[in-house]
Amino acid sequence: MSGLAGGPVPATPAPPAPARSGGGWWKGVVIGVPYLWLAVLFLVPFLIVFKISLSETAIAQPPYLPVFEWGSVSGLVESARELSLQSYNWLVSDPLYINAYLSSLRIAAISTLLSLLVAYPLAYAMARASNQLRPVLVMMTILPFWTSFLIRVYAWIGILRNEGYLNQFLLGTGLVSAPLQILNTNIAVYIGIVYSYLPFMVLPIYASLERMDRRLLEAAEDLGCTPVRAFWSVTFPLSLPGVLAGAFLVFIPAVGEFVIPDLLGGSETLMIGKTLWDEFFANRDWPVASAVAVILLLILVVPIALFQRIQAKTV
């Protein structure tokens, strides 16, 4: 049709399609499932452990006094008044636990630094490799995860002991005249942690380096930067998100590590994961062990929160 002036009449826009009524419900389900998962598998167990930490040790099954007696409201209030902070007072007064926390933080920090020194050259070489070789290198990095963690740690016992493969190699090459005592020392713990958690450091750094624009390095070289200066001015700053992510992925689980110090460390190796195991199963002091676990979680909340902030900024 034509208007009064003979021109075409503009078409009337179609009304917007009505929104689906089930969209909001489905979005709520998608969002609610992760929160339900965290509530069932993290929040509820944490509340149970926290409740046990406020109890007192008893010769019973389970070996602690009940904190809440589910019955009447008055009984619940009466039991709530009997909450005990004795376990937390014991942790503060006994230097064993304080030294265990400090030793765990120190060993985890040193292991994280060693992992970074080993992982960064590997990740850099992987990022500089050809497109055909990169998938093979990534597969070789994650290949140890196909084997049981416990078996891999046990394998280091055969390597590091006095009659192990490492000492046989050193003696055969004449580098040492007597076997080195590596097993049952902190050095063995460092080796075990670095080996076990190295992929967690390599992969985030590799992801950051692989996404880097190579033209920035060409521009730096055109401006007169040497390769070393270009690395520290361009490459390393751009890879910092991967470095920080890998550091947190290694440091957080290493603090509470139990298997590696128990199998590779000696009697002088003091870590909070080993102390926690002893309190639960050797001493059967569940309230103190639960208090140790709660304090450990509170210590790890800070790096976990920092890691989440870094991840949010990189997305």
Side-chain angles (χ1 to χ4, degrees):
M1 295 178 62
S2 300
L4 297 177
V9 177
T12 304
R20 297 182 178 179
S21 58
W25 176 83
W26 176 250
K27 183 178 180 180
V29 171
V30 173
I31 296 176
V33 169
Y35 283 101
L36 179 63
W37 180 275
L38 290 176
V40 172
L41 297 181
F42 174 76
L43 183 59
V44 173
F46 172 75
L47 293 177
I48 294 175
V49 172
F50 182 67
K51 176 181 72 70
I52 296 175
S53 69
L54 298 176
S55 179
E56 296 180 0
T57 306
I59 303 177
Q61 185 67 28
Y64 61 90
L65 298 178
V67 178
F68 301 111
E69 293 181 359
W70 302 103
S72 61
V73 178
S74 61
L76 180 60
V77 174
E78 182 180 357
S79 298
R81 293 175 183 175
E82 298 175 358
L83 298 179
S84 174
L85 297 178
Q86 182 179 358
S87 298
Y88 294 96
N89 294 332
W90 180 260
L91 295 185
V92 177
S93 60
D94 193 340
L96 171 66
Y97 303 100
I98 299 177
N99 293 334
Y101 283 117
L102 296 178
S103 177
S104 298
L105 294 174
R106 176 178 56 83
I107 292 176
I110 295 176
S111 301
T112 302
L113 179 60
L114 295 176
S115 299
L116 176 61
L117 295 178
V118 176
Y120 202 99
L122 292 177
Y124 187 83
M126 291 169 58
R128 286 301 188 93
S130 61
N131 295 332
Q132 294 79 12
L133 189 58
R134 287 181 188 176
V136 178
L137 296 177
V138 174
M139 178 63 65
M140 293 176 62
T141 303
I142 65 176
L143 192 62
F145 287 109
W146 293 10
T147 308
S148 171
F149 176 79
L150 187 61
I151 294 177
R152 288 186 282 129
V153 176
Y154 264 115
W156 278 102
I157 298 178
I159 297 175
L160 300 178
R161 64 184 181 180
N162 293 346
E163 302 82 11
Y165 296 110
L166 179 59
N167 276 311
Q168 289 181 9
F169 172 78
L170 295 176
L171 291 172
T173 55
L175 296 176
V176 296
S177 58
L180 298 178
Q181 179 61 41
I182 302 176
L183 190 63
N184 299 327
T185 62
N186 286 345
I187 297 177
V189 177
Y190 294 140
I191 294 174
I193 293 178
V194 171
Y195 166 77
S196 301
Y197 294 105
L198 187 63
F200 294 106
M201 182 71 76
V202 172
L203 294 178
I205 298 176
Y206 164 74
S208 297
L209 293 175
E210 197 272 336
R211 293 195 304 263
M212 188 182 67
D213 192 351
R214 300 294 178 83
R215 293 175 296 181
L216 297 175
L217 293 177
E218 297 176 359
E221 293 177 358
D222 293 340
L223 293 175
C225 285
T226 61
V228 175
R229 186 177 179 182
F231 171 81
W232 289 110
S233 300
V234 179
T235 304
F236 188 75
L238 292 178
S239 65
L240 272 180
V243 171
L244 294 177
F248 285 125
L249 289 176
V250 173
F251 177 81
I252 292 173
V255 172
E257 181 59 50
F258 160 72
V259 175
I260 295 175
D262 186 61
L263 296 180
L264 302 182
S267 58
E268 297 181 356
T269 302
L270 185 62
M271 293 193 70
I272 199 61
K274 191 175 179 180
T275 304
L276 183 64
W277 173 274
D278 292 336
E279 290 294 343
F280 261 118
F281 298 99
N283 301 335
R284 291 187 61 80
D285 194 342
W286 286 23
V288 172
S290 300
V292 171
V294 171
I295 297 298
L296 177 61
L297 180 61
L298 294 179
I299 292 175
L300 295 180
V301 161
V302 175
I304 290 174
L306 292 176
F307 175 71
Q308 290 180 343
R309 290 189 60 182
I310 294 172
Q311 289 294 101
K313 290 181 180 180
T314 55
V315 174

